Amino acid sequence: QSALTQPASVSGSPGQSITISCTGTSSDVGGYNYVSWYQQHPGKAPKLMIYDVSDRPSGVSIRFSGSKSGNTASLTISGLQAEDEADYYCSSFTTSSTYVFGTGTKVTVL
Amino acid sequence: EVLLVESGGGLAQPGGSLRLSCAASGFTFSSYAMGWVRQAPGKGLEWVSIISNSGSSTYYADSVKGRFTISRDNSRNTLYLQMNSLRAEDTAVYYCASRYAVNKAFDYWGQGTLVTVSS
């Protein structure tokens, strides 16, 4: 159950687009289309942003989108805004019916 | 409105025990799987455990297997995490989370309860 690999930090200017990668194995990311993404602001509980690779829960901005290719999933934030500055974690359901989270990415809005 | 409220956190000694509770409201608790996720101070999220809606199926992270037990009381709309043989590395904020409107993700989260393991 090794953590999924994410870049430690990603930054962008307001209005730009950024992409966060999430690399796993064929036992997790590559095994199912059950990748999810969470946003966490300091001192707050995580918030689900994307589930099932590319679906958005009700109320989540369309600026957030997800995709997957092989063992790597990606989260793209378009039209970057100040409130998007937060930590982002990917997660995947695994072939052992467990879950694994990513190492986390700090997004900075310049 | 879905609401999850954790309790039971606090200070425990190494080798000691603690039981966390998560009171759920705003949805039909007995219909949905529930889980625990933790976050050590300044660190990332770590999945801990999940239990099916009926309680018949449970799964654990390798780091807690054999020491932690997840359970639920559907009559009380409450989720539990019994933590035994606690170690310093179990120090974390523990969140309960539901798999409510989505299949394999956690869409509602509690505010978390802090567990500190120290002598």
Side-chain angles (χ1 to χ4, degrees), chain B residues 53-99:
Chain B
N53 63 314
S54 67
S56 60
S57 296
T58 58
Y59 299 91
Y60 298 92
D62 287 344
S63 58
V64 306
K65 198 175 296 183
R67 301 187 300 121
F68 289 11
T69 301
I70 191 172
S71 63
R72 64 192 297 161
D73 185 338
N74 286 343
S75 68
R76 296 176 182 269
N77 290 348
T78 303
L79 174 73
Y80 302 101
L81 186 68
Q82 178 67 44
M83 303 185 295
N84 298 330
S85 303
L86 284 164
R87 306 166 180 167
E89 54 264 37
D90 295 320
T91 294
V93 173
Y94 285 73
Y95 295 100
C96 75
S98 65
R99 259 177 25 182

Side-chain angles (χ1 to χ4, degrees), chain A residues 16-85:
Chain A
Q16 286 187 329
S17 293
I18 62 169
T19 297
I20 303 168
S21 62
C22 170
T23 301
T25 69
S26 58
S27 296
D28 39 63
V29 175
Y32 297 112
N33 286 327
Y34 291 138
V35 176
S36 50
W37 290 90
Y38 300 86
Q39 176 192 66
Q40 186 181 35
H41 286 107
K44 300 295 187 182
K47 175 186 177 182
L48 179 65
M49 305 301 285
I50 295 287
Y51 67 98
D52 293 355
V53 175
S54 59
D55 289 340
R56 274 186 310 277
S58 175
V60 172
S61 172
I62 61 171
R63 298 186 298 104
F64 291 84
S65 61
S67 63
K68 191 189 88 166
S69 178
N71 295 336
T72 298
S74 298
L75 173 72
T76 297
I77 309 174
S78 305
L80 199 61
Q81 299 180 1
E83 61 259 36
D84 300 333
E85 187 161 293

Side-chain angles (χ1 to χ4, degrees), chain A residues 1 34 36 38 40 44-46 48 51-52 89 93 96-99 101-102, chain B residues 39 43-45 47 50 59 61-62 95 99 102-107 109-110:
Chain A
Q1 292 181 344
Y34 291 138
S36 50
Y38 300 86
Q40 186 181 35
K44 300 295 187 182
L48 179 65
Y51 67 98
D52 293 355
Y89 296 90
F93 186 69
S96 301
S97 295
T98 60
Y99 288 81
F101 278 92
Chain B
Q39 187 170 34
K43 302 297 184 182
L45 300 175
W47 175 78
I50 192 166
Y59 299 91
D62 287 344
Y95 295 100
R99 259 177 25 182
V102 298
N103 187 21
K104 293 288 193 283
F106 297 105
D107 51 354
W109 296 65

Side-chain angles (χ1 to χ4, degrees), chain B residues 2 6 21 31-32 36 40 43 47 56 58 68 91 98 108 110 118:
Chain B
V2 174
E6 302 95 336
S21 299
S31 295
Y32 303 97
W36 291 96
K43 302 297 184 182
W47 175 78
S56 60
T58 58
F68 289 11
T91 294
S98 65
Y108 288 94
S118 175

